[in-house]
Amino acid sequence: MVSFLEKAIGLLGWAFFAFYFYQMAYIVISLLKKPKEGTAKVQHHFGVLISARNEELVIGQLINSIRQQNYPQDLIDIYVVADNCTDHTAEVARAAGAVVYERFNQELVGKGYALNELLRNIDRDYSLERCDGYFVFDADNVLDEDYVAHMNNTFDSGYRVITSYRNSKNYDSNWISAGYALWFLREARYLNQARMTLGSSCFVSGTGFLVHTEVFRENGGWKHHLLTEDIEFSADTILKGEIIGYNRNAVLYDEQPVTFKDSWNQRLRWSKGFYQVFFHYGKRLAGKVAHGSFSAYDMLMTLAPGMLVSAILLPLGLILILTGLTADVYTLWEMEPLVERVLYYGVQSYFMLVAMGGLTVITEWKNIHCKGYKKILYLFTFPFFMYTYLPISVVALVKKIEWKPIRHSVVRDVRDIRMPN
């Protein structure tokens, strides 16, 4: 059994390397080449979709940042769905100049349902075709002044779905918010930027993306209602042969959870959502891979429950070690190869995550808005943030998960965020 488990852990390591080696190539590509951004010939008319639940503290900042864009304001319409709110979100959004619809539905709960109803209301009252495309933001977001102009450049070049550079409002809050922020910065710089350079499809990640009106019309609104509607939308879009674009100069800031309870609940939903998308779309993605689609392979590897395998196999090795020793079944000398293998992968994974985070911190140093010592400190806590995904992956597999709102309270505009430390 010891020999079998030792070999299984070794094979796991080699399998991960084989399946995810292409992401090492992504790093090289991102360091050596940046995708070019052309200049739009047309300033398109855009709508903004915001789904908000009890966001009275922060939604005003988002709308203000939209109104401060270096882009013609008569070409930006703002639509908000106040979804099951019990506070003054609707009033705050109206006072800031948004068109607001209030929604009360305790059966169809989630951002996807709220977005779909918002699109139906817009189509009924104004027609979806009033705008060429629609941005999707969360209420806690804040935008750089040139965000819309940069996204318009990519939109005008022909992309019908575009995502942006996701930064953080509160990197410096603690190790939890920094863990999130560092992961999203890495995703923007070393995943989506490389995909865009190669002409492969990028992925939509939660918030800060633009969708052509034609796509909503073809889909019949927003039809994606799994727990991670963003990843489901990405998978469905790739299956249709659409290439999702990315603009690295369009910078969006969002707020990350700071308590472990909120982080646990949010990432539990994400993990469950990834399983849902994998089981709903995995077979079709595999079929597209068989026909030569690298974008489908990339998505399939993103969805594949590799974290679950690690979460089960590595603790199993530790349990076997402890059980074998305490029951005098094996001597320490007999267990030594397995002990060494488990310790090796534990140490290796820690330093690999530090290296991954370190490269991101170095290259994105100016974009991380906090004191220098915190940038360094949270680099070394980043692996522990990632390790917490191990129990989350196991629990998400067996537990029924429902969407739960995360309260946002960081009220900072772009100038506050970028203020020198």
Side-chain angles (χ1 to χ4, degrees):
M1 182 65 178
V2 174
S3 177
F4 168 78
L5 195 58
E6 180 189 354
K7 291 178 180 178
I9 294 174
L11 288 173
L12 176 66
W14 281 109
F16 276 15
F17 178 80
F19 286 130
Y20 293 98
F21 176 77
Y22 74 96
Q23 292 194 6
M24 299 295 291
Y26 276 179
I27 293 173
V28 176
I29 292 166
S30 295
L31 289 172
L32 295 180
K33 191 173 182 180
K34 298 177 181 178
K36 295 180 180 179
E37 177 184 340
T39 302
K41 296 178 181 178
V42 177
Q43 290 182 315
H44 292 271
H45 191 164
F46 296 118
V48 172
L49 308 178
I50 306 169
S51 175
R53 182 168 183 175
N54 292 337
E55 301 282 16
E56 64 179 6
L57 293 178
V58 295
I59 194 168
Q61 291 280 33
L62 169 58
I63 296 173
N64 287 340
S65 74
I66 296 169
R67 289 305 179 204
Q68 292 169 6
Q69 290 293 297
N70 295 322
Y71 197 84
Q73 284 298 306
D74 61 336
L75 295 180
I76 303 176
D77 301 333
I78 304 175
Y79 302 99
V80 173
V81 53
D83 185 28
N84 290 308
C85 291
T86 57
D87 67 353
H88 300 290
T89 295
E91 293 92 326
V92 173
R94 285 195 186 98
V99 175
V100 180
Y101 297 94
E102 296 187 63
R103 175 181 186 267
F104 298 96
N105 189 323
Q106 297 295 335
E107 295 181 3
L108 301 178
V109 177
K111 181 179 174 180
Y113 293 110
L115 286 176
N116 192 47
E117 186 167 321
L118 180 57
L119 287 167
R120 286 204 308 267
N121 289 333
I122 294 169
D123 197 27
R124 179 194 65 207
D125 296 341
Y126 303 96
S127 174
L128 282 180
E129 280 72 21
R130 170 183 171 85
C131 299
D132 299 319
Y134 290 86
F135 289 99
V136 179
F137 298 126
D138 289 339
D140 60 293
N141 298 162
V142 176
L143 314 178
D144 266 0
E145 299 91 338
D146 294 316
Y147 182 94
V148 173
H150 284 302
M151 293 291 274
N152 182 64
N153 288 337
T154 306
F155 185 85
D156 194 62
S157 71
Y159 286 93
R160 300 201 306 167
V161 183
I162 309 159
T163 190
S164 58
Y165 185 99
R166 188 174 181 180
N167 208 330
S168 177
K169 292 165 65 175
N170 61 326
Y171 192 106
D172 61 347
S173 291
N174 60 20
W175 68 279
I176 297 172
S177 64
Y180 277 100
L182 190 53
W183 180 261
F184 289 135
L185 289 172
R186 173 191 172 270
E187 182 180 73
R189 175 64 190 270
Y190 292 107
L191 295 179
N192 278 336
Q193 181 169 311
R195 291 164 179 152
M196 185 68 173
T197 301
L198 293 170
S200 181
S201 182
C202 303
F203 301 164
V204 166
S205 179
T207 184
F209 58 98
L210 173 60
V211 181
H212 199 292
T213 302
E214 292 174 352
V215 174
F216 283 136
R217 187 63 78 188
E218 291 164 7
N219 288 344
W222 186 273
K223 65 176 185 177
H224 306 96
H225 303 296
L226 298 180
L227 286 172
T228 47
E229 76 288 328
D230 53 337
I231 297 299
E232 182 188 5
F233 174 69
S234 297
D236 187 45
T237 300
I238 289 169
L239 282 169
K240 292 175 179 176
E242 191 95 39
I243 299 295
I244 300 173
Y246 165 71
N247 190 299
R248 65 186 181 89
N249 297 313
V251 180
L252 167 143
Y253 304 89
D254 72 336
E255 180 180 341
Q256 310 306 337
V258 295
T259 69
F260 191 76
K261 180 180 179 181
D262 282 344
S263 177
W264 175 275
N265 288 333
Q266 184 182 65
R267 290 185 290 148
L268 195 62
R269 174 174 63 83
W270 289 354
S271 295
K272 187 72 170 185
F274 269 64
Y275 291 145
Q276 290 176 341
V277 178
F278 179 76
F279 291 124
H280 277 77
Y281 294 87
K283 183 177 180 180
R284 281 182 284 163
L285 285 168
K288 205 164 181 68
V289 171
H291 287 87
S293 172
F294 178 73
S295 293
Y297 176 81
D298 196 1
M299 173 57 73
L300 193 60
M301 290 301 98
T302 300
L303 295 172
M307 186 69 76
L308 177 65
V309 176
S310 300
I312 294 173
L313 194 55
L314 293 179
L316 182 62
L318 293 173
I319 292 170
L320 185 61
I321 292 169
L322 294 174
T323 302
L325 290 174
T326 55
D328 293 327
V329 176
Y330 305 106
T331 65
L332 182 59
W333 181 81
E334 291 172 320
M335 299 290 288
E336 186 177 354
L338 180 58
V339 173
E340 288 180 350
R341 182 76 68 176
V342 171
L343 290 176
Y344 171 77
Y345 280 112
V347 173
Q348 182 191 56
S349 68
Y350 177 84
F351 284 105
M352 283 183 64
L353 288 168
V354 168
M356 176 195 303
L359 180 62
T360 306
V361 168
I362 291 169
T363 56
E364 307 305 291
W365 184 272
K366 293 182 179 179
N367 296 323
I368 301 174
H369 302 290
C370 70
K371 295 184 181 298
Y373 79 90
K374 288 190 174 182
K375 298 178 188 181
I376 302 300
L377 173 64
Y378 293 141
L379 168 60
F380 291 97
T381 61
F382 176 63
F384 299 110
F385 173 81
M386 296 303 297
Y387 289 154
T388 59
Y389 268 111
L390 296 173
I392 287 172
S393 298
V394 176
V395 174
L397 187 66
V398 298
K399 184 178 180 180
K400 183 179 179 180
I401 310 296
E402 296 181 353
W403 183 85
K404 295 180 180 180
I406 302 295
R407 182 173 174 79
H408 298 115
S409 59
V410 177
V411 182
R412 304 175 70 187
D413 62 23
V414 171
R415 286 165 294 184
D416 292 333
I417 296 169
R418 295 192 305 230
M419 188 176 297
N421 293 289

